[in-house]
Amino acid sequence: MKRLDFIRLSGYSVTSLFLVGTSTFLNACRKMGMGNMMMGQLVLVTEGSFSEVLTMPDIVGNTSSLTAQKASCKIAGIGNVNGLGYQAQKLLGPTIKINSGETVNINFDNQLDDSTNIHWHGLKIPSNMDGHPDNKIQSGNSFKYNYTVDQRAGLYFYHPHAMGTTAKQVFQGLAGFFIVNDVEEQALNLPSGSKELLCVIQDKRIEGGNIVYSPSMTDQMTGLMGQFVLVNGSYSPVQMVETSKYRIRILNGSNARIYNIALSDSSSFSVIGNDGGLLSSPESVNQVLLAPGERLDLIIDFSNLSLNDEVYLISREFSGGDSQGKQKFRIMKFKADMVVTDKFKLPALLSTIPPLTESMSTKTRFFDISNKDANMSHSRMIHTINSKEYSSSRIDETVKNSTIETWVFDNSKGLEPHPMHLHGATFQILSRTGGRGNLMPWEKGWKDVALCMPGETVKVIVQFGKFNGMYVFHCHNLEHEDSGMMAQYEIQ
Ligand code: C2O
Ligand code: CU
Ligand code: CU
């Protein structure tokens, strides 16, 4: 039964259902045998004035320190806001920029009231450095992260991952970019300097000068969404551009919100990379569905703009689930402030991606992520993988190091989108059946998040890392993750 049918049947309007209260509502759902029926509470985005200039995070190298702390900052268009940061007076953290092969030394201090840790999303590093949910750094304590990055150029990122506090701490401001460069990418001479932009897109719920994290039962079902969309911590910013090609690298750092990234003039742009670095060749598209945790490396050509022309990065409407994609909104503005002649030509060949095929795979594993039997237990929401809620005392899968396996995420009967992510591994997406029914052009190459929309079954082929130890995989909707949609696997 679909939501609308239910509303019709019940004779309630959507608003009155919310007035009735979530628990009454959930009881009603259960009586009607609709375990996890999604009651999408739409959190509408409120656009700002697009007048604050976009800023880039500071850049640090392989040896640095990070301090998780309370951060009060001023967000133009919103006011003074209390949140969290890895630096004083600012949300987010600096961008860590290294060359492939380098060893990273980060002195990390936890000055939060809660325990936390850091997960290096997309990096294949030893398990004791990976920010496993059990490796908590208590309030007031510190930890030295020390590991070597032995992988290709790409846009990775870091964020907290301690059991039970991940979603809250990310939402309140803890995250940062982690860029790996290598000689292959260097040789392409992609737009750089002021023509390379990093953009982390995040929606925030801000009330009374605080980034408020107190998800209702409905928020826990759908994932928490906010009314303000920030880019690098700025609300509805503007970026001045020359009439030339820009490299724009985007991270969806939101807890739950999916964006259907496009340009307001509907022009097409080139995807040159995603989660795990460059694609083999550019893909021309005019929209990209980007889920939490996913990254995009784009070349956007502003050469058809005239002086003072404006174009917006927007999120278009899309279908899939009841709580997302129902609204079109603008995220940031580009404004041409200088007319130039652009000499950059995008190479037709960017990289070589050795395709993984099922014949290389030593095992196939199936994961039911439909959450058909999700329910309320002890008055909280639970999400599951294979009907199991996360438990750190259970090892769900055991994998041989450095091997290749086929993993299938089955959301065919699900009603919610689930962006599935693995630690300690990277993968290629082999196929999608149901729903959109296809592998999307921006999903080629190396990935570490695979978006499974309602109705979809997504098959990925995974290259596991070489370090033995305990890792996790989970839905990157952080409310789903925190409410149990995570599992533990051991590489041995
Ligand atoms: Cu960015 Cu375990 O995730
Ligand atoms: Cu990760
Ligand atoms: Cu999910």
Side-chain angles (χ1 to χ4, degrees):
M1 181 179 327
K2 291 227 175 66
R3 169 187 151 193
L4 282 176
D5 299 332
F6 169 66
I7 292 166
R8 253 176 245 128
L9 257 173
S10 66
Y12 285 130
S13 76
V14 180
T15 349
S16 65
L17 269 174
F18 284 115
L19 291 176
V20 166
T22 324
S23 59
T24 316
F25 166 66
L26 278 177
N27 282 329
C29 290
R30 278 190 301 182
K31 273 194 220 113
M32 298 181 76
M34 296 176 288
N36 77 331
M37 199 198 67
M38 278 266 310
M39 193 55 213
Q41 181 183 27
L42 270 185
V43 178
L44 293 177
V45 167
T46 310
E47 295 175 352
S49 62
F50 300 98
S51 52
E52 185 67 9
V53 174
L54 180 71
T55 52
M56 289 298 125
D58 298 333
I59 292 176
V60 300
N62 64 330
T63 302
S64 179
S65 46
L66 294 174
T67 303
Q69 57 192 290
K70 290 181 182 156
S72 325
C73 54
K74 198 175 172 69
I75 303 180
I78 299 176
N80 289 323
V81 174
N82 297 311
L84 304 177
Y86 286 114
Q87 52 198 350
Q89 313 293 316
K90 273 188 200 173
L91 301 180
L92 302 165
T95 297
I96 298 169
K97 203 168 184 177
I98 66 153
N99 291 313
S100 182
E102 274 184 345
T103 296
V104 172
N105 285 291
I106 306 279
N107 284 319
F108 176 62
D109 264 316
N110 178 10
Q111 287 177 10
L112 306 174
D113 299 333
D114 275 333
S115 59
T116 187
N117 68 13
I118 302 184
H119 169 56
W120 312 90
H121 182 127
L123 300 185
K124 291 158 109 166
I125 54 178
S127 147
N128 61 338
M129 292 292 138
D130 186 60
H132 185 288
D134 281 352
N135 289 338
K136 292 183 179 183
I137 300 153
Q138 301 303 325
S139 170
N141 287 13
S142 53
F143 186 80
K144 284 190 195 327
Y145 285 98
N146 172 242
Y147 53 84
T148 301
V149 176
D150 180 21
Q151 60 198 84
R152 68 199 295 256
L155 176 61
Y156 306 98
F157 68 111
Y158 60 95
H159 63 79
H161 216 296
M163 195 61 212
T165 53
T166 301
K168 178 180 188 204
Q169 293 176 356
V170 172
F171 198 77
Q172 292 189 324
L174 292 180
F177 292 113
F178 192 108
I179 291 188
V180 179
N181 290 315
D182 66 11
V183 285
E184 179 192 44
E185 190 187 295
Q186 205 60 47
L188 294 175
N189 279 311
L190 296 169
S192 62
S194 61
K195 293 191 177 174
E196 178 183 2
L197 306 178
L198 296 173
C199 302
V200 52
I201 303 174
Q202 300 175 298
D203 60 335
K204 302 288 181 202
R205 192 172 290 186
I206 301 173
E207 282 151 26
N210 297 302
I211 301 181
V212 179
Y213 191 83
S214 60
S216 66
M217 197 70 70
T218 315
D219 294 326
Q220 288 173 44
M221 269 197 278
T222 61
L224 188 74
M225 283 170 262
Q227 75 274 48
F228 297 114
V229 175
L230 309 186
V231 184
N232 301 348
S234 297
Y235 175 43
S236 294
V238 58
Q239 170 73 40
M240 299 297 171
V241 293
E242 299 179 2
T243 56
S244 63
K245 295 182 197 71
Y246 277 69
R247 180 181 192 188
I248 300 182
R249 310 177 74 173
I250 299 176
L251 158 66
N252 181 350
S254 310
N255 278 36
R257 196 181 283 279
I258 299 170
Y259 303 90
N260 191 10
I261 300 289
L263 292 167
S264 54
D265 62 2
S266 297
S267 57
S268 54
F269 48 88
S270 300
V271 181
I272 61 167
N274 53 19
D275 304 350
L278 294 169
L279 304 184
S280 56
S281 48
E283 297 285 337
S284 177
V285 298
N286 56 23
Q287 59 181 21
V288 173
L289 204 57
L290 197 70
E294 287 191 299
R295 286 89 74 202
L296 267 185
D297 200 344
L298 305 178
I299 297 289
I300 299 186
D301 188 356
F302 297 109
S303 64
N304 49 358
L305 298 187
S306 309
L307 193 64
N308 293 323
D309 275 358
E310 299 175 346
V311 62
Y312 291 86
L313 190 76
I314 64 168
S315 179
R316 284 184 181 164
E317 293 169 325
F318 59 90
S319 59
D322 275 350
S323 58
Q324 304 235 26
K326 302 282 181 284
Q327 183 194 13
K328 174 178 171 179
F329 54 87
R330 296 177 293 180
I331 299 168
M332 64 174 288
K333 179 164 91 175
F334 300 103
K335 180 170 181 166
D337 71 342
M338 201 190 298
V339 176
V340 297
T341 338
D342 186 12
K343 288 185 283 289
F344 175 72
K345 253 191 82 66
L346 184 57
L349 220 65
L350 300 166
S351 180
T352 317
I353 312 264
L356 302 186
T357 61
E358 275 191 276
S359 62
M360 303 169 174
S361 161
T362 53
K363 193 170 174 118
T364 300
R365 301 181 200 244
F366 293 90
F367 301 97
D368 179 358
I369 58 165
S370 288
N371 276 284
K372 295 183 292 287
D373 43 13
N375 56 29
M376 245 200 340
S377 139
H378 315 296
S379 74
R380 67 196 177 87
M381 191 67 209
I382 290 176
H383 284 89
T384 60
I385 296 172
N386 280 344
S387 300
K388 282 176 288 191
E389 185 188 356
Y390 178 75
S391 162
S392 64
S393 54
R394 190 184 65 229
I395 300 170
D396 297 283
E397 309 293 332
T398 304
V399 167
K400 266 208 190 64
N401 72 57
S402 310
T403 51
I404 296 170
E405 294 194 0
T406 307
W407 283 29
V408 182
F409 297 110
D410 181 355
N411 197 23
S412 57
K413 303 206 173 54
L415 302 171
E416 300 177 80
H418 300 294
M420 299 304 294
H421 167 61
L422 275 79
H423 291 207
T426 46
F427 54 76
Q428 295 176 5
I429 302 185
L430 284 177
S431 67
R432 171 182 285 109
T433 51
R436 290 171 288 164
N438 270 310
L439 176 61
M440 299 294 136
W442 57 86
E443 294 179 314
K444 295 181 177 176
W446 289 104
K447 294 275 295 164
D448 55 56
V449 179
L451 176 56
C452 310
M453 291 299 276
E456 295 181 354
T457 297
V458 177
K459 190 194 270 187
V460 303
I461 184 153
V462 190
Q463 171 70 68
F464 286 95
K466 62 184 176 188
F467 300 107
N468 292 348
M470 226 53 97
Y471 294 90
V472 292
F473 60 100
H474 58 88
C475 176
H476 219 287
N477 176 314
L478 298 182
E479 281 68 40
H480 291 182
E481 173 190 341
D482 270 2
S483 62
M485 199 168 174
M486 176 158 71
Q488 180 165 237
Y489 81 98
E490 183 172 11
I491 297 186
Q492 54 173 223

